[in-house]
Amino acid sequence: MPSHEGPNIPQAIPRVLVIGGSYAGLAATVNLIDLCDGKQPRFTSVSTQEEHPKVKLPVDITIVDERDGYYHLIGNPLAFASGDAASKSWTRFQDIPALKLPNVHFLQGSVATVDCEKKTASIVDTVTKQLRHEKYDYLLVASGLRRSFPVVPQALNRDEFIAEAKAHAKAIRDAEEGVVVIGGGAVGIEMASEIKVVEPWQKVTLVHSRDKLLSAEPLPDDFKDKSLEALQQAGVKVILGQRVIDTTAIQTDDRSKSWRLTLSGGQQIAAGHVITAISRSTPTSTYLPSAALDKDGYVKIDTSLRFNGNIPNADSHFAAGDIVSWSGIKRCGGAMHMGHYCAINIHQDMRKHHYEQTPTYKELSEFPNIMGLAVGKKAVIYDSTTGTASGEDLMASYFGDDLANSICWNYMKLGQAVAV
């Protein structure tokens, strides 16, 4: 093995293009920054630290995202009920201390196409509306899924998001006939319960078309039953086995708007504000070659998180987070874990090229089905090892008091500036 003293580093600095600035993309970025600075990656625990020669490698990282900042997506139910929570849930990329480095760049835009053979991404710049071409040596695809409002905000910059979230919170407060949430999946449950946390006086009704909540999730009945119990304890009225077949505006004036919802069983309910929490999530992968995708548009990866298809330069193309075709329920913990492994494998590949060292790549294991829900003052948790549990103590450890905003921020150490 060549000596690491005074390495003959090529003049060309490896360029890493990260598409998506959420959990997976940022996790990969901050861990790669650590590794290229000759440090242990920040997600590596003390008990599992590995030997890494303390050598520095040059790297140039560009993050491209449709938004102008990092948005704490799992806190969306709280952000759309509380203006104060909203202001804390979105941080512009240039304001994140851990990313204030001369070799980390941000581009707000939409990726149009990726040419894997030429290693070039064509991006429509949000500000200039111009098409620009970004060359890269390594690509990390982490742009996630396309979801509808209000499951996710539609605003693409922080100021517009704050206005959007505050308007939604005001509509909740002003709903004299109460709030109806349509859809009993994870988002609907958390949106309904967070409204009761923020505005405990408000009448909240959740309507779900199936006989059990979370009917689309591969989870045991006791988890679904515990979720229903916690939702009712939070003060939410739950109507199961009924579809909303008609929504009609029955009153509009300068002060308020009311709605009449007709259910499939013939029942009618009034609402001052209606939230549709049903969203068929679709991968944001249309910019990739079809050979990289499965039939549903998810990116096919191997255990090293590289593209697993008939793709030129597949060993330089990685994907992580919700956009990948992988086992388990999609969640932010899994996305950050994938990002961590991508960082290690990209770094190992860089060291192979710089030092001709035999790389040791991380391999991703299958993900079991795991879910955690914040329901009022309780968390309802399921994993295949311990089964279902719920309680206020679990709420504190899994979500804190801000739907895990601080937990995710601190885990990625986004608030810690890096010495240049």
Side-chain angles (χ1 to χ4, degrees), residues 23 74 321-322 328-336 367-372:
Y23 305 110
I74 60 176
D322 287 359
I329 295 171
K330 297 185 184 301
R331 56 194 183 88
C332 73
M336 290 189 286
F367 285 173
N369 285 333
I370 297 173
M371 179 172 276

Side-chain angles (χ1 to χ4, degrees), residues 152-416:
V152 298
Q154 297 305 293
L156 299 180
N157 66 65
R158 187 178 188 277
D159 292 340
E160 291 179 0
F161 160 71
I162 297 297
E164 186 178 62
K166 286 184 175 179
H168 193 266
K170 183 178 185 301
I172 289 169
R173 289 194 305 273
D174 293 347
E176 295 180 2
E177 297 283 351
V179 178
V180 172
V181 178
I182 302 173
V187 173
I189 291 170
E190 291 192 334
M191 292 196 95
S193 60
E194 287 305 314
I195 293 170
K196 291 297 290 187
V197 169
V198 177
E199 309 288 359
W201 56 269
Q202 183 60 278
K203 177 186 175 182
V204 181
T205 303
L206 183 142
V207 181
H208 186 56
S209 61
R210 302 302 177 93
D211 292 332
K212 283 189 180 293
L213 297 174
L214 301 155
S215 51
E217 300 292 353
L219 294 165
D221 283 347
D222 67 337
F223 178 83
K224 299 175 182 181
D225 294 340
K226 279 287 185 185
S227 299
L228 173 61
E229 178 184 313
L231 190 59
Q232 292 172 328
Q233 289 175 349
V236 176
K237 180 182 178 181
V238 181
I239 299 174
L240 296 175
Q242 298 279 329
R243 290 186 298 107
V244 176
I245 59 174
D246 183 67
T247 302
T248 304
I250 58 174
Q251 176 186 337
T252 303
D253 57 30
D254 293 338
R255 289 181 57 252
S256 65
K257 178 180 289 187
S258 297
W259 306 90
R260 182 178 63 239
L261 281 69
T262 303
L263 307 186
S264 53
Q267 179 182 359
Q268 291 187 337
I269 54 177
H273 184 59
V274 179
I275 298 172
T276 302
I278 302 171
S279 174
R280 186 180 183 277
S281 303
T282 55
T284 56
S285 58
T286 53
Y287 54 84
L288 293 173
S290 59
L293 311 176
D294 69 9
K295 62 181 178 62
D296 297 314
Y298 292 91
V299 183
K300 296 180 292 186
I301 58 169
D302 61 19
T303 56
S304 70
L305 293 108
R306 290 177 171 87
F307 284 17
N308 189 19
N310 185 23
I311 300 295
N313 300 308
D315 58 347
S316 302
H317 292 77
F318 295 78
D322 287 359
I323 201 170
V324 304
S325 176
W326 200 253
S327 60
I329 295 171
K330 297 185 184 301
R331 56 194 183 88
C332 73
M336 290 189 286
H337 178 67
M338 289 181 177
H340 177 204
Y341 274 21
C342 284
I344 291 174
N345 290 347
I346 290 171
H347 181 252
Q348 285 289 314
D349 206 61
M350 289 167 59
R351 287 181 57 182
K352 178 180 72 174
H353 291 302
H354 279 269
Y355 302 122
E356 299 179 2
Q357 180 189 23
T358 302
T360 303
Y361 297 118
K362 287 287 188 181
E363 294 193 353
L364 193 64
S365 300
E366 293 291 310
F367 285 173
N369 285 333
I370 297 173
M371 179 172 276
L373 281 180
V375 190
K377 295 182 179 179
K378 292 183 177 181
V380 186
I381 308 297
Y382 172 78
D383 71 54
S384 56
T385 303
T386 59
T388 299
S390 67
E392 293 187 19
D393 57 331
L394 293 174
M395 183 68 172
S397 59
Y398 277 82
F399 294 99
D401 60 1
D402 57 4
L403 284 194
N405 190 12
S406 299
I407 291 172
C408 292
W409 179 273
N410 293 333
Y411 183 62
M412 290 190 280
K413 299 181 180 178
L414 296 179
Q416 296 184 18

Side-chain angles (χ1 to χ4, degrees), residues 88-207:
K88 297 174 182 176
S89 64
W90 186 305
T91 308
R92 294 184 180 95
F93 290 123
Q94 67 262 31
D95 295 331
I96 298 175
L99 302 179
K100 291 184 177 182
L101 292 166
N103 61 330
V104 178
H105 319 285
F106 311 106
L107 173 59
Q108 187 180 2
S110 301
V111 181
T113 59
V114 168
D115 188 325
C116 297
E117 186 170 7
K118 295 180 179 178
K119 291 188 175 182
T120 302
S122 299
I123 302 165
V124 179
D125 189 301
T126 299
V127 177
T128 67
K129 309 300 181 184
Q130 298 297 310
L131 185 67
R132 56 187 292 173
H133 306 285
E134 289 287 323
K135 289 190 172 294
Y136 59 84
D137 297 292
Y138 298 96
L139 180 72
L140 171 58
V141 171
S143 51
L145 306 179
R146 186 77 62 194
R147 301 177 174 95
S148 60
F149 177 88
V151 175
V152 298
Q154 297 305 293
L156 299 180
N157 66 65
R158 187 178 188 277
D159 292 340
E160 291 179 0
F161 160 71
I162 297 297
E164 186 178 62
K166 286 184 175 179
H168 193 266
K170 183 178 185 301
I172 289 169
R173 289 194 305 273
D174 293 347
E176 295 180 2
E177 297 283 351
V179 178
V180 172
V181 178
I182 302 173
V187 173
I189 291 170
E190 291 192 334
M191 292 196 95
S193 60
E194 287 305 314
I195 293 170
K196 291 297 290 187
V197 169
V198 177
E199 309 288 359
W201 56 269
Q202 183 60 278
K203 177 186 175 182
V204 181
T205 303
L206 183 142
V207 181

